[in-house]
Amino acid sequence: MWYAIVGTDNVNSLEARKSARPAHLARLQQLQDEGRMLLAGPFPAIDAEDPGPAGFSGSLIVAEFSSLAEAQAWAGADPYVAAGVYRETTVKPFRKVLP
């Protein structure tokens, strides 16, 4: 089943985000390589493709896991959690309708 993982950033987390990004992306790439990734990306903190020093307010990942517990465990082990980028992560089942 698909699960939506929403990570909400701590204030002033841009530098921690930059430091942990390679490890974060490696985990996402693994999901992609396994054919389990629907989409992933950050939420810019301002209305701009590149928010510059404003940074990001969080991230969205929609990926396939065998259970909610597995998705929650995967989200909890994200390098952004360990680095203090995310102040909160929410995991919810997701049903893709379109396209």
Side-chain angles (χ1 to χ4, degrees):
M1 178 166 192
W2 295 111
Y3 292 88
I5 300 168
V6 178
T8 304
D9 282 25
N10 279 304
V11 176
N12 299 319
S13 62
L14 184 58
E15 290 308 312
R17 181 181 268 272
K18 288 178 182 177
S19 295
R21 189 169 191 261
H24 172 77
L25 290 179
R27 292 179 84 233
L28 294 177
Q29 186 62 54
Q30 182 178 358
L31 289 177
Q32 177 71 24
D33 293 347
E34 294 170 357
R36 298 169 49 205
M37 173 69 65
L38 183 61
L39 63 90
F43 299 120
I46 60 173
D47 188 13
E49 181 74 23
D50 179 0
F56 300 90
S57 63
S59 304
L60 170 65
I61 300 163
V62 179
E64 189 174 34
F65 294 92
S66 62
S67 68
L68 177 60
E70 182 187 349
Q72 289 169 328
W74 188 92
D78 194 295
Y80 280 179
V81 172
V85 174
Y86 293 155
R87 68 174 166 81
E88 176 183 30
T89 56
T90 303
V91 182
K92 294 182 179 185
F94 178 79
R95 192 174 125 207
K96 183 178 184 263
V97 175
L98 294 171

